[in-house]
Amino acid sequence: MRRAAFRLLPHTADLRVEVRAPDFPSLCARSVEAVFSLLTDRRRVRRVERRAVSFPPGSPEELLLSVLRRALLLFSLDRYLVRDADANMEGENLVLSVEGEPSDASRHVVSREIKAVTAHALTVECGPPGYTARFLLDV
């Protein structure tokens, strides 16, 4: 009998996050804030610069994934940290606005590396109390 060349190992590397909000745009904004809260202490991030991004229509899961991936790119490419996020619908497009500043090593401690937001197990549910999202962050 030939022995397997590989095996699966348990790991706890990913972070699973649950976010609740009264409506879908707020859910996206709170999800972005959650990601940046896991990166750094957002209370130390100043509201120096505002950025806005528009997202075309899609399913709630597709939109949330796009929003989170774009937000994470702000940090990965520009070292930009988000203090606050807001989102609203303009027609059929979701517009995400964030306020924050570029990371400053003398004031900001990045507590972990978040490599990606994954589509795996990402859910968006709408119920009587509002919207709930669950997603995984690859750390």
Side-chain angles (χ1 to χ4, degrees):
M1 175 185 270
R2 188 171 177 190
R3 190 173 175 176
F6 68 93
R7 64 186 175 128
L8 299 176
L9 300 172
H11 73 91
T12 57
D14 291 336
L15 297 174
R16 188 161 191 223
V17 181
E18 180 178 275
V19 179
R20 295 176 187 262
D23 54 56
F24 183 69
S26 299
L27 183 73
C28 291
R30 287 184 181 175
S31 296
V32 168
E33 291 175 349
V35 168
F36 280 88
S37 291
L38 293 167
L39 276 173
T40 192
D41 181 353
R42 288 182 27 244
R43 296 172 297 184
R44 300 184 64 89
V45 177
R46 297 180 297 185
R47 297 174 184 94
V48 173
E49 183 182 337
R50 184 178 182 92
R51 297 183 183 195
V53 181
S54 179
F55 297 89
S59 73
E61 290 82 5
E62 291 169 336
L63 273 172
L64 181 61
L65 184 61
S66 294
V67 164
L68 291 173
R69 285 181 171 170
R70 181 69 63 92
L72 192 55
L73 276 176
L74 289 173
F75 180 72
S76 299
L77 296 178
D78 300 339
R79 305 303 287 174
Y80 182 86
L81 293 171
V82 171
R83 168 69 184 251
D84 297 310
D86 189 25
N88 57 59
M89 299 301 295
E90 290 186 5
E92 294 186 8
N93 294 337
L94 177 80
V95 177
L96 174 72
S97 300
V98 295
E99 289 183 307
E101 65 176 327
S103 179
D104 177 349
S106 68
R107 292 184 300 110
H108 304 127
V109 175
V110 177
S111 55
R112 65 176 50 86
E113 178 185 8
I114 297 176
K115 297 180 216 167
V117 181
T118 69
H120 175 71
L122 184 145
T123 61
V124 175
E125 298 171 355
C126 179
Y131 281 78
T132 302
R134 293 180 190 90
F135 52 91
L136 289 173
L137 301 173
D138 183 13
V139 294

PDB file of all heavy atoms in Angstrom, residues 113-125:
ATOM      1  N   GLU A 113      -0.967  40.885  10.041  1.00  0.00           N
ATOM      2  CA  GLU A 113      -1.071  41.011   8.593  1.00  0.00           C
ATOM      3  C   GLU A 113      -2.342  40.299   8.138  1.00  0.00           C
ATOM      4  O   GLU A 113      -2.565  39.144   8.494  1.00  0.00           O
ATOM      5  CB  GLU A 113       0.129  40.381   7.906  1.00  0.00           C
ATOM      6  CG  GLU A 113       0.047  40.437   6.405  1.00  0.00           C
ATOM      7  CD  GLU A 113       1.176  39.705   5.714  1.00  0.00           C
ATOM      8  OE1 GLU A 113       1.958  39.025   6.399  1.00  0.00           O
ATOM      9  OE2 GLU A 113       1.262  39.800   4.487  1.00  0.00           O
ATOM     10  N   ILE A 114      -3.162  40.996   7.401  1.00  0.00           N
ATOM     11  CA  ILE A 114      -4.324  40.366   6.779  1.00  0.00           C
ATOM     12  C   ILE A 114      -3.989  40.253   5.305  1.00  0.00           C
ATOM     13  O   ILE A 114      -3.841  41.254   4.610  1.00  0.00           O
ATOM     14  CB  ILE A 114      -5.609  41.183   7.013  1.00  0.00           C
ATOM     15  CG1 ILE A 114      -5.922  41.234   8.508  1.00  0.00           C
ATOM     16  CG2 ILE A 114      -6.784  40.573   6.232  1.00  0.00           C
ATOM     17  CD1 ILE A 114      -7.118  42.086   8.882  1.00  0.00           C
ATOM     18  N   LYS A 115      -3.866  39.022   4.842  1.00  0.00           N
ATOM     19  CA  LYS A 115      -3.434  38.799   3.464  1.00  0.00           C
ATOM     20  C   LYS A 115      -4.567  38.960   2.471  1.00  0.00           C
ATOM     21  O   LYS A 115      -4.345  39.425   1.360  1.00  0.00           O
ATOM     22  CB  LYS A 115      -2.846  37.398   3.320  1.00  0.00           C
ATOM     23  CG  LYS A 115      -1.619  37.174   4.147  1.00  0.00           C
ATOM     24  CD  LYS A 115      -1.119  35.771   3.927  1.00  0.00           C
ATOM     25  CE  LYS A 115      -0.563  35.212   5.207  1.00  0.00           C
ATOM     26  NZ  LYS A 115      -0.341  33.788   5.129  1.00  0.00           N
ATOM     27  N   ALA A 116      -5.769  38.549   2.869  1.00  0.00           N
ATOM     28  CA  ALA A 116      -6.874  38.588   1.904  1.00  0.00           C
ATOM     29  C   ALA A 116      -8.213  38.437   2.603  1.00  0.00           C
ATOM     30  O   ALA A 116      -8.295  37.946   3.730  1.00  0.00           O
ATOM     31  CB  ALA A 116      -6.712  37.451   0.892  1.00  0.00           C
ATOM     32  N   VAL A 117      -9.240  38.897   1.907  1.00  0.00           N
ATOM     33  CA  VAL A 117     -10.620  38.591   2.276  1.00  0.00           C
ATOM     34  C   VAL A 117     -11.046  37.490   1.320  1.00  0.00           C
ATOM     35  O   VAL A 117     -10.913  37.651   0.110  1.00  0.00           O
ATOM     36  CB  VAL A 117     -11.533  39.818   2.102  1.00  0.00           C
ATOM     37  CG1 VAL A 117     -12.959  39.484   2.506  1.00  0.00           C
ATOM     38  CG2 VAL A 117     -10.994  41.003   2.880  1.00  0.00           C
ATOM     39  N   THR A 118     -11.519  36.402   1.852  1.00  0.00           N
ATOM     40  CA  THR A 118     -11.842  35.271   0.984  1.00  0.00           C
ATOM     41  C   THR A 118     -13.337  35.197   0.700  1.00  0.00           C
ATOM     42  O   THR A 118     -14.163  35.630   1.510  1.00  0.00           O
ATOM     43  CB  THR A 118     -11.390  33.939   1.612  1.00  0.00           C
ATOM     44  OG1 THR A 118     -12.205  33.676   2.746  1.00  0.00           O
ATOM     45  CG2 THR A 118      -9.927  34.001   2.025  1.00  0.00           C
ATOM     46  N   ALA A 119     -13.661  34.640  -0.456  1.00  0.00           N
ATOM     47  CA  ALA A 119     -15.063  34.428  -0.818  1.00  0.00           C
ATOM     48  C   ALA A 119     -15.622  33.207  -0.092  1.00  0.00           C
ATOM     49  O   ALA A 119     -16.834  33.079   0.063  1.00  0.00           O
ATOM     50  CB  ALA A 119     -15.193  34.246  -2.320  1.00  0.00           C
ATOM     51  N   HIS A 120     -14.715  32.344   0.355  1.00  0.00           N
ATOM     52  CA  HIS A 120     -15.140  31.120   1.040  1.00  0.00           C
ATOM     53  C   HIS A 120     -15.928  31.458   2.305  1.00  0.00           C
ATOM     54  O   HIS A 120     -15.458  32.222   3.143  1.00  0.00           O
ATOM     55  CB  HIS A 120     -13.911  30.279   1.399  1.00  0.00           C
ATOM     56  CG  HIS A 120     -14.244  29.067   2.194  1.00  0.00           C
ATOM     57  ND1 HIS A 120     -14.900  27.984   1.640  1.00  0.00           N
ATOM     58  CD2 HIS A 120     -14.053  28.770   3.484  1.00  0.00           C
ATOM     59  CE1 HIS A 120     -15.078  27.076   2.570  1.00  0.00           C
ATOM     60  NE2 HIS A 120     -14.571  27.520   3.708  1.00  0.00           N
ATOM     61  N   ALA A 121     -17.114  30.920   2.411  1.00  0.00           N
ATOM     62  CA  ALA A 121     -17.971  31.053   3.595  1.00  0.00           C
ATOM     63  C   ALA A 121     -18.483  32.475   3.813  1.00  0.00           C
ATOM     64  O   ALA A 121     -19.000  32.777   4.881  1.00  0.00           O
ATOM     65  CB  ALA A 121     -17.259  30.543   4.843  1.00  0.00           C
ATOM     66  N   LEU A 122     -18.336  33.350   2.819  1.00  0.00           N
ATOM     67  CA  LEU A 122     -18.874  34.704   2.970  1.00  0.00           C
ATOM     68  C   LEU A 122     -20.388  34.646   2.788  1.00  0.00           C
ATOM     69  O   LEU A 122     -20.879  34.104   1.804  1.00  0.00           O
ATOM     70  CB  LEU A 122     -18.266  35.645   1.925  1.00  0.00           C
ATOM     71  CG  LEU A 122     -18.671  37.111   2.049  1.00  0.00           C
ATOM     72  CD1 LEU A 122     -17.514  38.006   1.672  1.00  0.00           C
ATOM     73  CD2 LEU A 122     -19.865  37.432   1.182  1.00  0.00           C
ATOM     74  N   THR A 123     -21.117  35.199   3.751  1.00  0.00           N
ATOM     75  CA  THR A 123     -22.574  35.219   3.667  1.00  0.00           C
ATOM     76  C   THR A 123     -23.095  36.596   4.040  1.00  0.00           C
ATOM     77  O   THR A 123     -22.486  37.319   4.836  1.00  0.00           O
ATOM     78  CB  THR A 123     -23.223  34.184   4.612  1.00  0.00           C
ATOM     79  OG1 THR A 123     -22.871  34.499   5.958  1.00  0.00           O
ATOM     80  CG2 THR A 123     -22.795  32.772   4.281  1.00  0.00           C
ATOM     81  N   VAL A 124     -24.215  36.956   3.451  1.00  0.00           N
ATOM     82  CA  VAL A 124     -24.954  38.157   3.825  1.00  0.00           C
ATOM     83  C   VAL A 124     -26.401  37.721   4.002  1.00  0.00           C
ATOM     84  O   VAL A 124     -26.987  37.142   3.098  1.00  0.00           O
ATOM     85  CB  VAL A 124     -24.859  39.259   2.747  1.00  0.00           C
ATOM     86  CG1 VAL A 124     -25.736  40.446   3.122  1.00  0.00           C
ATOM     87  CG2 VAL A 124     -23.412  39.700   2.548  1.00  0.00           C
ATOM     88  N   GLU A 125     -26.946  37.989   5.173  1.00  0.00           N
ATOM     89  CA  GLU A 125     -28.327  37.618   5.467  1.00  0.00           C
ATOM     90  C   GLU A 125     -29.113  38.861   5.844  1.00  0.00           C
ATOM     91  O   GLU A 125     -28.581  39.770   6.490  1.00  0.00           O
ATOM     92  CB  GLU A 125     -28.376  36.619   6.626  1.00  0.00           C
ATOM     93  CG  GLU A 125     -27.659  35.317   6.339  1.00  0.00           C
ATOM     94  CD  GLU A 125     -27.528  34.440   7.578  1.00  0.00           C
ATOM     95  OE1 GLU A 125     -27.916  34.877   8.684  1.00  0.00           O
ATOM     96  OE2 GLU A 125     -27.010  33.327   7.439  1.00  0.00           O
TER      97      GLU A 125
END
